[in-house]
Amino acid sequence: MNLIALPAFTDNYIWMLHDGANAVVVDPGEAAPVRAALDALHLALAAILVTHHHGDHVGGVDALRDRLHGPVYGPRREDIPSPYVPLGDAEHIEVLGLPFTVIDVPGHTAGHIAYFHAGGSDQAPILFCGDTLFSGGCGRLFEGTPEQMHASLSRLAALPGDTRVCCAHEYTLSNLKFARAVEPGNEALTRYSAQCEALRAGGQPTLPSRIGVEREINPFLRCDAPEVVGAAVAQGASGEQAPAVFAALRRWKNDFR
């Protein structure tokens, strides 16, 4: 099974999973990169997975229906291009012979979902998390609350450490700049930043990341780490409990440059 990040717009990734004959794509905000990859690799489009309703994630869905030989899956509690199969927490689907579990992850949007494949003996787990979790960061809160997003991220952080984190934007370097401001003493973060800077300098994506890496370097998954708590309190956190720390970090990140 092959996992490919298809660049779209200025910093989006449309994720493609394929077995050499059939493909699934995740959050096709535009159709052209998907069509080009299908043609170049001689693949049939078996399904489309959608995590949330924003235009840069669903804009290419209708334009790909003429290539589609299966369903569009998407969040039950959001309005995405119909027809589609609505899904919610703990439901299961199978694509390309792989089972995926749906995880409700509200926060960025009210009905955002993620798709998790637990992997197997020959393949590490995969998480398609849309705009909920980024490497070194998390999505803005357009429709949800800090408490919701913290709970959503905690669910994702509890996944196996080798889970490949397939988020939908190349925001890693800017996220890591913020993470170093929050936790300058984090040596794992310093090492990871250098690795990601080298990848980008070589024109390579920083993704997928791994859940185990994110637990070590992502301040939004480290709301109980002493240095992160101290930084959040200095930024006006209402307390030292993880949800309050998260809320202060997210406010700080919104204005960070």
Side-chain angles (χ1 to χ4, degrees), residues 11 15 26-27 43 50 57 59 69 74 84 93 107 128 144-146 161 170 174 179 191 202 218 237:
D11 54 32
W15 289 96
V26 185
D27 288 346
L43 300 171
V50 173
H57 293 253
H69 299 281
Y84 77 100
I93 61 172
F128 295 120
T145 66
E170 185 56 77
S174 62
R191 291 192 300 270
N218 190 325

Side-chain angles (χ1 to χ4, degrees), residues 8-150:
F9 303 112
T10 57
D11 54 32
N12 282 66
Y13 289 129
I14 300 168
W15 289 96
M16 173 180 279
L17 192 64
H18 78 85
D19 60 9
N22 296 289
V24 172
V25 295
V26 185
D27 288 346
E30 57 179 343
V34 177
R35 288 182 177 276
L38 293 173
D39 292 340
L41 297 171
H42 308 290
L43 300 171
L45 183 58
I48 295 173
L49 309 183
V50 173
T51 64
H52 66 292
H53 67 84
H54 286 165
D56 63 326
H57 293 253
V58 301
V61 170
D62 283 340
L64 289 169
R65 291 192 190 272
D66 65 326
R67 301 292 295 269
L68 185 61
H69 299 281
V72 176
Y73 295 102
R76 174 172 288 112
R77 296 187 293 118
E78 295 195 356
D79 183 18
I80 71 167
S82 293
Y84 77 100
V85 178
L87 298 171
D89 195 54
E91 292 191 87
H92 301 278
I93 61 172
E94 184 174 296
V95 294
L96 303 184
L98 301 179
F100 280 83
T101 300
V102 176
I103 306 172
D104 277 352
V105 285
H108 180 67
T109 63
H112 201 302
I113 62 175
Y115 300 86
F116 174 68
H117 168 57
S121 59
D122 61 344
Q123 181 168 272
I126 303 171
L127 174 69
F128 295 120
C129 53
D131 286 358
T132 297
L133 174 63
F134 297 127
S135 188
C138 72
R140 285 179 177 264
L141 306 184
F142 289 119
E143 299 172 11
T145 66
E147 293 76 15
Q148 285 179 315
M149 184 63 110
H150 177 257

